[in-house]
Amino acid sequence: MTKSSWTSAKLPSFEGKTVVITGANSGIGLVAARELARVGARVVLAVRDTDRGTAAAATITGITEVRALDLADLASVRRFADEWTGPLDVLVNNAGIMTPPEGKTKDGFETQIGTNHLGHFALTNRLLPHITDRVVTVASMAHRRGTIDLDDLNWETRTYNRVAAYGQSKLANLLFTLELQRRLTEAGSPVRAHSAHPGWSATNLQSHTENRLYDGLMNLGNKLLAQDAEAGAAPTLYAASQDLPGASYIGPDGRWEMRGKPKLVGRSREARDTELAKKLWTASEELTGVPFPAAVSGGQPEKK
């Protein structure tokens, strides 16, 4: 396996650039915010809890701003986007939840597909006219355990399985990136869409299942197998800063992609299915009521 030597120390200057990072008050989102601010970016921490976001921003040296965003509430997504003015260089769709108990978002979506995919789908499309450089969406190795059920994305007829639901939402992240890039290219836009995954990184993502046994096993795995959040953020930072082909997928270069330095990595066959990506996009538009914008930054109106 080809090894990478890239680290965040090799980040280029982001002077004069604006970056939005969802879920940036902890974990790999906070590390990404800190590193991008370090190289000159104006970093907007888009977070559900603005008090925690303000506390996180206080630990960052550089230009930061905290704005409220609840991806489990499409009204909050709309407000965030409606209040945005001016160019946005990079959007990092980082926020996510992992294997919580069965639940619904404010709009009635299954919690994981609603937060991890549909919230970011709506946010990206609403912000796209402002975006000038790229969209980076954080996926997961767990996409390989997922499958897309277009007839039951919200687990209304299937018996709920929190692990399978998480896998579906992370597979949706990759399919979203694939179809977003196709649409950007068709529109003549220079904006690129990429995905990244952090391998197994020790963050608080794994500790909110409300299942003591599962939380205990995940915490043990964090101690024995995981890399830290700094290493886990490297694929996101690589995807946000390097000259890459559209729809690139970045992950760690170590065994089973669990840890290591960032490099281009593979994905499951279903995650490469362009027709499934189109169908998921259509379903996501119908569920959120948010279409691909008629014009995107630097491009032409969408072809009909």
Side-chain angles (χ1 to χ4, degrees), residues 15 40 85 107 122 129 165 176 196 235 254 271 273:
E15 288 289 341
T85 58
D107 302 282
F176 163 66
D273 189 332

Side-chain angles (χ1 to χ4, degrees), residues 24-26 30 45 47 50-61 64 66:
N25 56 7
S26 65
L30 177 56
L45 289 74
V47 297
T50 54
D51 288 338
R52 289 184 61 204
T54 300
T59 70
I60 298 172
T61 300
T64 60
V66 177

Side-chain angles (χ1 to χ4, degrees), residues 187-208:
S189 172
V191 175
R192 286 170 287 181
H194 300 313
S195 298
H197 82 79
W200 189 333
S201 297
T203 70
N204 62 9
L205 179 67
Q206 300 100 335
S207 60
H208 296 291

Side-chain angles (χ1 to χ4, degrees), residues 274-287:
T274 56
E275 290 305 311
L276 179 59
K278 291 176 183 178
K279 291 176 181 177
L280 176 63
W281 188 285
T282 298
S284 301
E285 283 191 347
E286 292 172 352
L287 287 167

Side-chain angles (χ1 to χ4, degrees), residues 16-260:
K17 294 185 178 181
T18 297
V19 180
V20 166
I21 305 177
T22 67
N25 56 7
S26 65
I28 65 173
L30 177 56
V31 174
R34 183 189 70 210
E35 291 300 310
L36 289 168
R38 177 181 62 80
V39 293
R42 169 200 172 209
V43 180
V44 177
L45 289 74
V47 297
R48 185 173 56 182
D49 185 331
T50 54
D51 288 338
R52 289 184 61 204
T54 300
T59 70
I60 298 172
T61 300
I63 304 170
T64 60
E65 181 181 346
V66 177
R67 296 196 186 191
L69 173 67
D70 183 354
L71 290 160
D73 181 358
L74 291 179
S76 175
V77 173
R78 183 175 61 251
R79 283 193 298 272
F80 183 95
D82 286 348
E83 292 171 0
W84 190 268
T85 58
L88 167 57
D89 296 280
V90 180
L91 170 63
V92 179
N93 291 323
N94 165 78
I97 55 174
M98 179 180 174
T99 62
E102 184 175 9
K104 299 289 185 182
T105 68
K106 290 187 179 179
D107 302 282
F109 307 137
E110 184 274 319
T111 310
Q112 296 186 86
I113 196 75
T115 303
N116 298 348
H117 168 60
L118 293 171
H120 281 130
F121 176 91
L123 178 69
T124 302
N125 279 294
R126 289 190 180 280
L127 288 176
L128 208 51
H130 299 280
I131 297 173
T132 64
D133 186 9
R134 68 189 73 190
V135 177
V136 177
T137 300
V138 178
S140 169
M141 295 183 294
H143 85 272
R144 296 181 180 277
R145 300 195 301 270
T147 188
I148 299 292
D149 187 336
L150 291 169
D151 295 322
D152 191 26
L153 283 174
N154 288 301
W155 294 82
E156 294 169 328
T157 61
R158 291 176 286 171
T159 300
Y160 186 70
N161 181 310
R162 65 173 77 190
V163 175
Y166 179 68
Q168 177 183 247
S169 73
K170 295 288 99 180
L171 175 57
N173 289 154
L174 283 165
L175 291 169
F176 163 66
T177 295
L178 188 63
E179 176 62 6
L180 175 59
Q181 184 60 64
R182 187 194 70 80
R183 287 170 175 259
L184 289 167
T185 300
E186 184 179 69
S189 172
V191 175
R192 286 170 287 181
H194 300 313
S195 298
H197 82 79
W200 189 333
S201 297
T203 70
N204 62 9
L205 179 67
Q206 300 100 335
S207 60
H208 296 291
T209 69
E210 298 183 27
N211 181 305
R212 292 180 65 185
L213 176 60
Y214 193 80
D215 284 352
L217 290 172
M218 294 302 292
N219 287 332
L220 179 62
N222 280 351
K223 293 177 181 178
L224 298 178
L225 302 172
Q227 57 185 2
D228 59 23
E230 282 70 20
T236 296
L237 293 166
Y238 190 92
S241 65
Q242 302 302 294
D243 186 12
L244 299 165
S248 289
Y249 186 32
I250 309 301
D253 65 358
R255 181 176 293 182
W256 301 311
E257 299 175 16
M258 293 180 64
R259 56 194 301 154

